[in-house]
Amino acid sequence: MRPDPSELSLDHPVCDLNPLRETHAEAAHWRRYGPLVPVTVMGGVRAWAAVSADAARTVLEAHPDLAKDPAHWGAYRRGEVPADWPLLSLIVADSMLNADGADHLRLRRLVTFAFTPKRVAALAPRVREITRALLDTLESGGTDTAVDLRSRFAHPLPLLVICELFGLSDLAQQGLLREHYETMLSVEASDDARRKAALGQREVLGRLVADHRNDPRDDVTGALIEALDEEGGRLSEKELIDTLEIILLAGHETTVNSLTSTVHALLSHPEQLALVRRGTIGWPAAVEAGLRWNAPLRSVYMRYAVRDTVLHGVTVRRGEPVLVALAAANRERPDEPAPERFDLLAPHGRQLAFGAGPHFCLGAALARLENAVALEELFARFPDLDLAEPESDLVPLVSPAINGLASLPVVLNGGAGAA
Ligand code: HEM
């Protein structure tokens, strides 16, 4: 039986967020306590978790009692959050993600120009070129044996696109950035390795800025440096690096997993794939269905109560943090009999994979474009693409923040009779 929400308190967490547990199984357990559940998130950090779609919206949309600025986080102010807590550096950085009101708008407006639907649509030919080049490389390795589509295709595509937008063309530096981000987000890496990776990626970004200063270029990094150098500076040096960090990280890690999850969904639901192949529905609809079925963000961290407030029957006290169990909330639909179904024909209009409210994903249009082009090109090039392993052998990622698969072994020419 569900407890009375007024009896729940962050002093007594009832569940823990365990990255080893499968995202949706964990959420089903949490839901038994109601839409907002007091949980611990690795290392003893406590937070309310919004696990229903309604509660997720309440938290994500501009709620007057919730803020993003970690200055409002009581435990952090009191020095109770371990300095090596895996997600800390990301959620206390001076980026738009952790800012409110005018400050948030100031930081977001500096880069909005690069991600408008019109600017993004203009990138389509280049995204297609990059996609085809990656597929050429994939094909040249042979089509009848198993390859990991995640590391060989889904991973490099968004990284190459976002690096190009920001003028990070040096392949060695791109590789370093990729390694650092993977370590920073890994729960299996040691604290020391994570700390070194965080410093390493800042070095790459610092070098990117220095290169742009020596050789000014007309790209997004160039525009940010211009804003920094303007008289009266709209941006501090630290904000510049933190802004580059959040966009480069958010701009690829999420897209890797949406693409991997959607290819997985289509291969394991051939009747849905057939709908696109027959032209009943387009690739953009497959992208939306994939995002809804397995949103790439397992959890979104954090909002903080600026005063005591009652949300969905629970009292969240001033200074307490609230996270959104996004992938779980995105599958919850009281009005649908089987919301966990991967269904291209279901309406996906109100899905939450890109968040909602003022922090709605800056790169949503770019992510949608990359996914749609990638799916279209991939299935056109390899019409017999198939899973190389039984579905039950696919291994989920171990992460408190990302939801997806650790790898996606496929056979490009699966029709030739490979495993
Ligand atoms: C499928 C891919 C993606 C998904 C599922 C996704 C998801 C999200 C979500 C849920 C948020 C809201 C976080 C919150 O409310 O705290 C967000 C914010 C953000 N995303 Fe994405 N994202 C994706 C791709 C991208 C790309 C390609 C970029 C690159 C430009 C990007 C840049 C950002 C930035 C900068 C923010 C912070 C916005 C703000 O605070 O105002 N994302 N994303």
Side-chain angles (χ1 to χ4, degrees):
M1 201 177 78
R2 249 187 198 192
D4 182 340
S6 66
E7 286 168 10
L8 295 172
S9 153
L10 211 54
D11 293 337
H12 305 287
V14 292
C15 303
D16 64 329
L17 191 156
N18 181 348
L20 289 168
R21 232 177 269 137
E22 197 274 327
T23 305
H24 300 286
E26 179 168 75
H29 175 63
W30 289 8
R31 281 207 188 92
R32 294 189 312 196
Y33 294 91
L36 268 164
V37 188
V39 302
T40 50
V41 189
M42 301 184 309
V45 170
R46 295 175 179 188
W48 290 95
V51 75
S52 74
D54 267 0
R57 280 195 178 279
T58 303
V59 175
L60 293 169
E61 285 169 357
H63 193 290
D65 298 339
L66 297 175
K68 267 282 203 168
D69 184 343
H72 297 285
W73 187 4
Y76 180 59
R77 273 203 323 262
R78 293 191 296 274
E80 293 165 11
V81 180
D84 52 11
W85 192 61
L87 301 159
L88 191 62
S89 63
L90 207 62
I91 62 174
V92 300
D94 285 342
S95 76
M96 71 185 92
L97 187 67
N98 309 317
D100 299 298
D103 227 21
H104 171 244
L105 274 183
R106 175 179 64 89
L107 291 168
R108 187 167 165 126
R109 277 191 186 141
L110 290 171
V111 280
T112 313
F113 76 95
F115 299 100
T116 59
K118 201 169 157 199
R119 284 289 283 252
V120 169
L123 295 174
R126 181 64 188 135
V127 170
R128 202 171 288 280
E129 241 171 57
I130 295 175
T131 306
R132 287 183 177 165
L134 285 170
L135 292 175
D136 289 345
T137 312
L138 208 56
E139 194 168 16
S140 67
T143 57
D144 295 335
T145 48
V147 287
D148 176 16
L149 202 73
R150 184 183 198 277
S151 62
R152 301 281 309 279
F153 179 59
H155 208 298
L157 173 59
L159 185 66
L160 289 170
V161 172
I162 199 79
C163 283
E164 193 163 304
L165 273 180
F166 282 80
L168 181 59
S169 49
D170 182 315
L171 289 181
Q173 294 287 302
Q174 285 180 5
L176 270 180
L177 201 64
R178 170 183 175 165
E179 273 173 34
H180 291 323
Y181 284 153
E182 272 183 0
T183 310
M184 281 167 67
L185 291 172
S186 161
V187 285
E188 280 146 350
S190 68
D191 294 342
D192 192 43
R194 268 205 306 269
R195 211 175 8 253
K196 283 192 180 135
L199 287 175
Q201 62 98 26
R202 292 187 84 79
E203 261 170 41
V204 174
L205 299 180
R207 194 160 160 179
L208 173 70
V209 171
D211 287 350
H212 273 69
R213 285 205 193 283
N214 288 335
D215 172 18
R217 270 160 274 165
D218 184 21
D219 53 30
V220 188
T221 307
L224 284 168
I225 292 173
E226 224 170 85
L228 173 67
D229 292 346
E230 256 181 26
E231 219 178 322
R234 285 182 289 156
L235 195 67
S236 73
E237 189 85 35
K238 178 163 187 313
E239 284 172 337
L240 168 67
I241 298 288
D242 287 356
T243 298
L244 289 171
E245 174 180 352
I246 181 63
I247 300 182
L248 285 160
L249 180 63
H252 94 275
E253 204 51 46
T254 44
T255 312
V256 174
N257 291 294
S258 62
L259 186 51
T260 308
S261 290
T262 306
V263 174
H264 166 217
L266 288 164
L267 294 179
S268 55
H269 297 76
E271 79 294 348
Q272 297 293 316
L273 179 56
L275 290 174
V276 198
R277 288 197 190 284
R278 281 201 302 268
T280 310
I281 200 149
W283 289 110
V287 174
E288 295 309 303
L291 284 165
R292 217 223 349 126
W293 190 61
N294 248 336
L297 285 176
R298 176 178 185 147
S299 314
V300 161
Y301 301 85
M302 303 265 211
R303 266 79 175 163
Y304 315 96
V306 295
R307 59 186 74 85
D308 290 0
T309 183
V310 177
L311 304 175
H312 296 265
V314 307
T315 301
V316 179
R317 288 168 307 186
R318 179 164 172 250
E320 290 184 346
V322 186
L323 66 86
V324 178
L326 197 68
N330 208 31
R331 266 200 194 180
E332 201 242 6
R333 283 208 168 177
D335 53 331
E336 258 187 46
E340 72 290 349
R341 220 176 34 196
F342 176 66
D343 181 358
L344 266 60
L345 298 173
H348 301 293
R350 274 177 61 79
Q351 67 141 314
L352 289 165
F354 291 114
H359 293 271
F360 180 81
C361 178
L362 178 76
L366 177 59
R368 285 180 161 129
L369 171 76
E370 288 173 342
N371 274 281
V373 169
L375 291 177
E376 184 185 344
E377 292 290 331
L378 174 71
F379 283 98
R381 178 81 66 103
F382 305 117
D384 294 321
L385 186 73
D386 205 355
L387 291 174
E389 287 178 5
E391 247 210 292
S392 53
D393 288 357
L394 297 177
V395 179
L397 272 177
V398 177
S399 166
I402 308 282
N403 176 47
L405 292 171
S407 62
L408 185 63
V410 295
V411 181
L412 301 173
N413 187 15

